[in-house]
């Protein structure tokens, strides 16, 4: 806990920025027609360690990642096939060495930077891909992103509704919802995002503790537990 901080900020692989203000309860006394009254409000100020509501710093990154999984599941289930196919073709042309006329939308570069650091790739990036405008984008990022796009195109597109970790879709598509959810859990396991956020908050290097086993990744993708 940083006793001088007014906020904590971190970025998800889809470019979503989580901005968490440090808020402290404050009792205010007012007067109306000669009668004093008190009410509670909040103010944005630094807080000391162990003050009330400082433990939220532990939970907030977890809630942030829950939100990312929720958004990404919706993208990968209810997608625009034409848009994803166009983005995949543009990426393949760039990887084959076709001339790129200009740098891409700055938002794509922002998402690329976060994705490479977190080792996690969101199809939110397809909104910013234009054929011939991928100059300077990392080939590694383009390959990894295209793998996710192609995997998404393998399944049908259909509406899905989600609230936190509860998902609703047509019975004929619920199997695909589970596949996408399992895939996102496996990608979460592979990602270093949580390590990145904890290192950012604490200043302690943790990446040496991260281990990845492809067998574990596959097991997560193939698990058979029920999805509600």
């Amino acid at each position: 806990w940083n006793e001088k901080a007014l906020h904590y900020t971190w970025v998800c692989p889809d470019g979503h920025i989580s901005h968490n203000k440090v808020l402290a309860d404050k009792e205010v006394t007012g007067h109306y027609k000669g009668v004093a009254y008190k009410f509670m409000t909040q103010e944005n100020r630094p807080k000391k360690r162990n003050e009330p509501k400082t433990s939220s710093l532990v939970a907030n990154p977890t809630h942030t990642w829950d939100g990312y999984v929720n958004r990404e599941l919706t993208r990968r289930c209810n997608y625009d096939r034409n848009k994803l196919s166009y983005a995949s073709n543009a990426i393949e042309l760039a990887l084959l060495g076709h001339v790129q006329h200009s740098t891409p939308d700055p938002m794509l570069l922002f998402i690329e930077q976060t994705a490479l650091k977190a080792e996690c790739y969101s199809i939110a990036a397809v909104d910013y891909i234009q054929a011939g405008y991928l100059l300077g984008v990392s080939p590694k990022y383009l390959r990894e992103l295209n793998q996710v796009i192609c995997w998404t195109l393998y399944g049908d597109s259909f509406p899905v509704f989600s609230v936190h970790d509860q998902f609703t879709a047509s019975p004929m598509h619920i199997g695909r919802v589970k596949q996408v959810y399992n895939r996102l859990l496996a990608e979460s396991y592979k990602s270093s995002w949580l390590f990145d956020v904890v290192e950012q908050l604490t200043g302690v290097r943790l990446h040496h503790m991260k281990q990845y086993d492809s067998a574990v990744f596959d097991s997560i993708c193939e698990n058979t537990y029920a999805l509600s």
Side-chain angles (χ1 to χ4, degrees):
W1 185 265
N2 182 350
E3 296 187 343
K4 297 181 180 180
L6 289 173
H7 62 83
Y8 296 90
T9 303
W10 44 80
V11 184
C12 287
D14 59 352
H16 175 88
I17 299 173
S18 178
H19 183 76
N20 304 266
K21 289 184 178 180
V22 178
L23 296 174
D25 291 336
K26 181 180 180 180
E27 185 179 86
V28 177
T29 300
H31 295 84
Y32 180 71
K33 293 185 177 181
V35 178
Y37 63 93
K38 295 182 179 180
F39 65 94
M40 297 300 296
T41 185
Q42 290 183 317
E43 61 177 346
N44 179 208
R45 66 161 176 81
K47 295 173 76 171
K48 300 295 184 182
R49 293 177 186 270
N50 301 320
E51 272 194 65
K53 299 183 180 180
T54 55
S55 59
S56 63
L57 190 58
V58 177
N60 285 344
T62 303
H63 296 317
T64 300
W65 193 258
D66 283 344
Y68 165 71
V69 170
N70 195 315
R71 294 189 301 275
E72 192 68 9
L73 182 140
T74 302
R75 293 187 190 105
R76 297 191 193 184
C77 289
N78 192 11
Y79 64 85
D80 183 328
R81 182 169 292 275
N82 290 333
K83 179 183 288 187
L84 263 63
S85 297
Y86 173 86
S88 181
N89 290 335
I91 290 171
E92 289 175 359
L93 289 173
L95 292 173
L96 287 172
H98 283 235
V99 174
Q100 301 300 301
H101 304 292
S102 181
T103 54
D105 188 300
M107 189 62 187
L108 178 61
L109 296 176
F110 179 66
I111 293 175
E112 174 200 19
Q113 180 184 25
T114 305
L116 288 172
K117 183 178 181 182
E119 301 173 72
C120 190
Y121 304 86
S122 166
I123 64 169
V126 302
D127 290 338
Y128 309 101
I129 289 179
Q130 185 176 353
Y133 289 81
L134 296 175
L135 185 66
V137 181
S138 160
K140 171 180 169 56
Y141 172 70
L142 293 177
R143 285 192 296 268
E144 295 284 355
L145 176 60
N146 201 33
Q147 286 182 10
V148 175
I149 292 173
C150 292
W151 186 89
T152 301
L153 287 167
Y154 172 77
D156 293 334
S157 176
F158 54 90
V160 60
F161 304 96
S162 57
V163 178
H164 190 46
D165 56 357
Q166 181 174 347
F167 309 102
T168 303
S170 166
M172 66 184 296
H173 294 304
I174 201 65
R176 180 59 177 174
V177 173
K178 182 176 178 180
Q179 287 181 344
V180 174
Y181 185 68
N182 288 352
R183 174 82 181 195
L184 288 170
L185 292 183
E187 291 177 10
S188 300
Y189 158 70
K190 185 177 180 180
S191 173
S192 64
W193 184 86
L194 184 58
F195 287 83
D196 296 336
V197 172
V198 174
E199 287 184 359
Q200 175 186 327
L201 294 175
T202 64
V204 178
R205 290 288 296 170
L206 298 172
H207 272 67
H208 67 281
M209 298 171 59
K210 178 171 171 51
Q211 298 181 4
Y212 171 71
D213 185 335
S214 60
V216 174
F217 184 96
D218 293 340
S219 294
I220 296 173
C221 288
E222 296 166 5
N223 80 75
T224 57
Y225 65 79
L227 181 67
S228 63

